[in-house]
Amino acid sequence: MNIQQTDQERLLEEGGLAPMIADESSEPGNECETISLRIGGMTCQSCAGIIESVVGCEDGVESIVVNYATEKASIKFVPQKISIRKIITAIEEVGHPRYNTQHSY
């Protein structure tokens, strides 16, 4: 086990992402992880749909569900294919800032 902190672990701590349990059904070496992220600036359900469409098209994103009412997104992704930073950047480029959240395990 690597005791050094990975870039993704550091982003989880600094960026307010909440890690979830990895999906065991993926191919070996391509295990999925799920993060929960608060998103600001949405004014309607269409905003949530745009975020789902844009981020969902990124290579390595298995699924994304954005809830406009709670301002939260649940994103299932393959860390070997896409970084958390790239996911965040895709959301921000659509015009929606990310809020920090508390970690939940």
Side-chain angles (χ1 to χ4, degrees), residues 27-90:
E27 297 176 23
N30 284 327
E31 289 82 13
C32 289
E33 292 182 16
T34 302
I35 57 172
S36 179
L37 178 62
R38 283 196 58 210
I39 301 173
M42 293 187 288
T43 57
C44 65
Q45 187 60 40
S46 293
C47 294
I50 291 169
I51 294 169
E52 288 177 344
S53 294
V54 170
V55 176
C57 288
E58 294 285 340
D59 185 36
V61 174
E62 297 293 315
S63 66
I64 176 171
V65 177
V66 179
N67 186 314
Y68 160 70
T70 62
E71 295 186 320
K72 290 184 182 179
S74 178
I75 306 160
K76 182 177 173 182
F77 69 105
V78 179
Q80 293 82 3
K81 293 184 178 181
I82 189 167
S83 68
I84 294 172
R85 172 57 47 207
K86 186 165 182 176
I87 292 169
I88 291 169
T89 300

